[in-house]
Amino acid sequence: MGQKINPVGFRLEQIKSGPQWQSAWFASKKKYPQLVVEDKKIRDFISKKLYSAGIVAIRIERSVKKIKIILVVSRPGLVIGRGGKELEQLKKDIIKIIGKGVKQSVDVQVEEWKQPDLSAKLIAEKIAYQLTKRTPYRRAVLSAMERSISAGAKGIKVILSGRINGAEIGRREKFSQGTVPLSTLKSRLDYHECPSLTRSGYIGVKVYLCLS
């Protein structure tokens, strides 16, 4: 049997020091679908606009009068800008997405992620970017794995699937270092998957990162 469940969501309640909820709010049955779509639009907009800032997580917290958005990024200077101009512009763009009729205020906070080699999202996106630039896939994967292990990770597993290296027939390759226990709930795992749109076709990148 393969791992059909997301390792992060599977361990949210079991590990207190592990990954946090990406959305924290409560709504009635009528408003719930609307707020879910709104969260999706905000995340898509921020991910596209601030892609170069190295986004690790986008957390959204809602109260009656306030919407709090916490951005965890590896390069906070690109988000804040000189004198906070970029951050103010980001708030205005988010207000446009929500709608002018909403009376809630928007608060955007930026947190720095000091170890980019210990984030499965950043590792997967970097590998995907290198594959689009025709970097040899083994070199891209092995160098990323070595950096994460040297940064303090206990184990890492990378899975590539698709037309790897421009092959006519798609295949699946696994790379791993250290220990990545997927069947235990005590281990603190980080996981992310993203596509790499190369000239020869689509390559899927999955990264499993064991932090403790």
Side-chain angles (χ1 to χ4, degrees):
M1 294 276 302
Q3 281 76 37
K4 302 296 189 300
I5 189 169
N6 189 297
V8 177
F10 191 45
R11 293 169 172 80
L12 272 177
E13 293 189 1
Q14 281 76 10
I15 305 173
K16 295 181 180 180
S17 62
Q20 301 179 16
W21 296 93
Q22 299 302 303
S23 294
W25 46 266
F26 177 81
S28 61
K29 290 183 179 180
K30 293 182 179 179
K31 289 186 177 180
Y32 184 84
Q34 178 186 348
L35 295 181
V36 170
V37 174
E38 194 175 281
D39 280 11
K40 182 69 166 62
K41 290 180 180 178
I42 292 172
R43 292 182 198 280
D44 292 343
F45 172 76
I46 294 175
S47 298
K48 187 176 180 180
K49 184 175 182 179
L50 303 177
Y51 180 80
S52 58
I55 300 174
V56 176
I58 302 172
R59 303 192 188 109
I60 300 176
E61 301 175 2
R62 295 176 182 267
S63 60
V64 178
K65 298 181 180 179
K66 190 176 182 181
I67 299 175
K68 184 179 179 182
I69 301 173
I70 303 172
L71 304 178
V72 184
V73 297
S74 60
R75 281 170 278 184
L78 296 177
V79 181
I80 299 171
R82 288 187 178 181
K85 291 183 179 179
E86 295 294 333
L87 192 61
E88 290 298 325
Q89 184 61 41
L90 181 64
K91 288 182 183 179
K92 293 178 182 178
D93 295 337
I94 293 173
I95 291 173
K96 290 180 182 178
I97 295 173
I98 296 171
K100 295 181 180 180
V102 180
K103 297 181 180 180
Q104 292 175 313
S105 62
V106 177
D107 180 25
V108 180
Q109 297 182 3
V110 182
E111 296 181 2
E112 183 182 3
W113 184 269
K114 297 182 180 179
Q115 294 179 311
D117 293 323
L118 293 181
S119 169
K121 185 175 184 295
L122 296 182
I123 294 171
E125 289 178 351
K126 188 171 184 179
I127 293 173
Y129 175 77
Q130 289 178 331
L131 292 178
T132 58
K133 295 298 179 180
R134 294 190 171 185
T135 304
Y137 71 97
R138 289 183 183 275
R139 184 195 302 172
V141 172
L142 293 177
S143 62
M145 292 170 66
E146 289 175 1
R147 284 195 302 269
S148 64
I149 294 294
S150 61
K154 286 195 171 183
I156 181 173
K157 182 168 75 170
V158 180
I159 301 176
L160 302 180
S161 59
R163 295 187 62 184
I164 302 171
N165 207 21
E168 293 185 0
I169 300 175
R171 67 179 188 273
R172 194 164 181 253
E173 288 199 23
K174 296 181 181 180
F175 305 86
S176 63
Q177 283 189 19
T179 58
V180 185
L182 297 178
S183 59
T184 58
L185 295 178
K186 293 182 179 179
S187 58
R188 187 164 153 244
L189 288 182
D190 191 13
Y191 169 79
H192 188 74
E193 62 180 50
C194 66
S196 177
L197 304 178
T198 63
R199 293 184 180 181
S200 58
Y202 181 106
I203 299 176
V205 181
K206 293 183 179 180
V207 175
Y208 298 81
L209 189 65
C210 181
L211 300 173
S212 62

